[in-house]
Amino acid sequence: MASKAVEKRQQAAPAKVDPRDEPSAEWGWHGGFPKGARIAGWVTVVVLLAMIYNNHENNTENVWLVGIAAGIVIGLLLDIRKKRTAWRR
C-alpha cells in the first residue's frame, strides 16, 4: 500500500514547459548534465591538488589550491547527499 504522497505524485500530470520561456523545449531536450558536472568537479579537484607539486617560492599558492579544492569537495559531497535523499521529498 502506497502512502498518500506517493499516490499524489503518481496522479499529478507532468508540468509542461513553455517554449517561449525555454527554447530548447521545442526540439525535445530540456535538462542538464548532472553526472558530467560531478565528474568534472572531481577531475578539477584532482588537477588542483596536482598543482601543489610545482616550484613554488612560498606556500601561499598551496593554501589557495587546497582551499579551493576543499570547497569543491564540500560542494560535491553536499550534492551526493542531496541526490541520495531526493526521493524522500
Side-chain angles (χ1 to χ4, degrees):
M1 182 171 169
S3 70
K4 290 181 183 180
V6 173
E7 290 174 7
K8 185 185 266 187
R9 239 181 279 135
Q10 289 173 348
Q11 292 172 355
K16 297 289 182 180
V17 177
D18 188 9
R20 290 176 292 176
D21 294 335
E22 311 225 6
S24 62
E26 276 183 5
W27 47 272
W29 180 83
H30 182 75
F33 298 105
K35 196 173 195 179
R38 287 184 199 106
I39 291 170
W42 288 113
V43 169
T44 302
V45 168
V46 170
V47 169
L48 285 172
L49 294 177
M51 286 182 188
I52 291 175
Y53 301 105
N54 202 348
N55 55 350
H56 297 159
E57 302 234 351
N58 57 21
N59 285 327
T60 305
E61 298 93 349
N62 295 343
V63 171
W64 278 98
L65 289 170
V66 171
I68 293 170
I72 294 172
V73 167
I74 290 169
L76 289 168
L77 292 176
L78 289 174
D79 184 53
I80 290 171
R81 180 176 170 223
K82 185 177 89 171
K83 180 184 173 193
R84 191 178 64 210
T85 60
W87 63 272
R88 294 183 190 167
R89 292 186 218 171

